[in-house]
Amino acid sequence: MIYTAQVKVMPLKELLDPQGKAVMGGLGNLGLGSIKDVRIGKNITLQVEAESEAAAKAIAEDAAKKLLANQVMEMFEITIG
Amino acid sequence: MKFGVVVFPGSNCDRDMIGALCDDLKQEVIPLWHKDKDLSMFSKEDCIVLPGGFSYGDYLRCGAIARFSPMMNSVIEFANSGGKVLGVCNGFQILCESGLLPGALLRNAHQQFVCKNVFIKEEGNPAALKIPVAHGEGRYFASEEVLKSLNDNGQVLYRYCDENGKLTDTSNPNGATEAIAGICNEGRNVFGMMPHPERACSNILNNEDGRVVFSKLFGLS
């Protein structure tokens, strides 16, 4: 069976995210000053062939740990849809 | 001593590196292709160089894909058996991604690509060297624990400084933690740095400070 895995990769909370800061500045210029923080990450969609949802999640986790996220600077979350 | 310079798709400082090593420093250089994996012509005294550029288009993260190329598997093996490896700019990013060096290189704090001469200094030596940088993701980051061990073991090779060798906020071009510009591994055989010494080895370029870097790392003059 084919499962769709969404891998959300975000910069670690304690790290400065310059991209997010730049976008927040832009939002402020649009008059959306009530937005107090912006952080930008990536969403990666995988089609995984596996026997169960748990197996698909394990495969996606392996991919995230080995390549999709660098855990020195990023964290990831996986949802299977 | 021989040098091997790895060419990845998207490398763009490979010719500069080969030119500096071959023409300016009079070393034997063998260009290496990322799809090959044979390093049998190199001994531990030799050095494999990962040049600057945008390997694999910097997709996903800088250096993340290059790390899995066939040649990188051989380079990792070569480094683990004590062979010398130098990564400059994108090469430094690849070394961090591959785990041969600790830490990571993040987007510059000011969000801009920086391309200019900067000054760097060796640990314990106040003399400032003028070396060019050209990168968008050069902000060195490592956990406090890793930083402590880098400092305790003398693994920080270079820090950004002003022309007088003083560490100041304005002399750090990318917001790197502790103004770190280059580090080595614990075994002192793997070196990584964001500045480009290969662009500063020739009097035609009006800057030969890069020779001081090659001299420190490999005893070349």
Side-chain angles (χ1 to χ4, degrees), chain A residues 15-16 18 73, chain B residues 104-109 136-141 174:
Chain A
L15 282 182
L16 170 72
M73 54 176 166
Chain B
L105 292 143
L106 310 181
R107 185 74 64 96
N108 295 344
E137 283 90 356
R139 176 166 52 113
Y140 184 77
F141 166 79
N174 51 33

Side-chain angles (χ1 to χ4, degrees), chain A residues 15-16 18-19 42 44 66-70 72-74, chain B residues 60-61 64 67-68 97 104 106-109 111 139 141:
Chain A
L15 282 182
L16 170 72
Q19 201 178 186
K42 300 182 189 103
I44 302 165
K66 286 184 180 156
L67 176 60
L68 303 180
N70 178 344
V72 175
M73 54 176 166
E74 294 165 328
Chain B
L60 194 63
R61 293 179 307 278
R67 164 197 166 192
F68 294 101
E97 280 285 341
L106 310 181
R107 185 74 64 96
N108 295 344
Q111 179 78 2
R139 176 166 52 113
F141 166 79

Side-chain angles (χ1 to χ4, degrees), chain A residues 53-75:
Chain A
E53 194 176 314
K57 190 168 186 185
I59 292 167
E61 245 175 44
D62 194 32
K65 279 184 190 154
K66 286 184 180 156
L67 176 60
L68 303 180
N70 178 344
Q71 291 181 282
V72 175
M73 54 176 166
E74 294 165 328
M75 48 86 67

Side-chain angles (χ1 to χ4, degrees), chain B residues 4-178:
Chain B
V5 176
V6 183
V7 182
F8 297 98
S11 294
N12 67 3
C13 299
D14 44 319
R15 296 297 177 102
D16 289 17
M17 184 61 80
I18 291 169
L21 291 169
C22 210
D23 301 336
D24 301 327
L25 298 164
K26 309 294 178 207
Q27 299 299 306
E28 184 184 351
V29 181
I30 302 172
L32 300 167
W33 185 235
H34 67 109
K35 283 190 173 167
D36 295 332
K37 49 187 177 189
D38 182 18
L39 290 179
S40 60
M41 63 292 245
F42 296 98
S43 77
K44 273 187 201 169
E45 299 312 306
D46 299 330
C47 179
I48 305 301
V49 183
L50 309 181
F54 301 85
S55 58
Y56 297 86
D58 275 354
Y59 292 163
L60 194 63
R61 293 179 307 278
C62 305
I65 317 254
R67 164 197 166 192
F68 294 101
S69 66
M71 182 51 81
M72 269 314 291
N73 286 329
S74 305
V75 171
I76 291 169
E77 226 170 83
F78 180 77
N80 287 338
S81 66
K84 295 186 176 75
V85 178
L86 166 66
V88 170
C89 198
N90 188 227
F92 186 14
Q93 295 164 340
I94 296 169
L95 289 174
C96 287
E97 280 285 341
S98 65
L100 287 176
L101 290 174
L105 292 143
L106 310 181
R107 185 74 64 96
N108 295 344
H110 48 59
Q111 179 78 2
Q112 287 165 353
F113 192 93
V114 56
C115 182
K116 62 178 185 181
N117 281 319
V118 300
F119 291 94
I120 59 173
K121 68 186 277 292
E122 266 176 51
E123 286 293 90
N125 183 346
L129 303 172
K130 185 170 78 178
I131 307 281
V133 290
H135 58 248
E137 283 90 356
R139 176 166 52 113
Y140 184 77
F141 166 79
S143 66
E144 275 181 28
E145 197 183 327
V146 169
L147 286 171
K148 184 174 184 311
S149 81
L150 287 175
N151 284 318
D152 290 352
N153 299 332
Q155 287 172 247
V156 176
L157 296 174
Y158 293 105
R159 292 183 208 268
Y160 300 108
C161 62
D162 68 11
E163 59 189 329
N164 301 315
K166 295 268 182 309
L167 304 181
T168 64
D169 286 344
T170 49
S171 59
N172 183 339
N174 51 33
T177 310
E178 297 188 8

Side-chain angles (χ1 to χ4, degrees), chain A residues 24-81:
Chain A
M24 194 170 78
L27 291 170
N29 292 341
L30 283 174
L32 297 169
S34 55
I35 296 173
K36 297 299 179 200
D37 193 29
V38 178
R39 296 184 73 76
I40 296 180
K42 300 182 189 103
N43 190 54
I44 302 165
T45 308
L46 309 173
Q47 301 295 331
V48 186
E49 187 171 6
E51 290 186 353
S52 65
E53 194 176 314
K57 190 168 186 185
I59 292 167
E61 245 175 44
D62 194 32
K65 279 184 190 154
K66 286 184 180 156
L67 176 60
L68 303 180
N70 178 344
Q71 291 181 282
V72 175
M73 54 176 166
E74 294 165 328
M75 48 86 67
F76 65 87
E77 274 171 28
I78 294 170
T79 46
I80 304 285

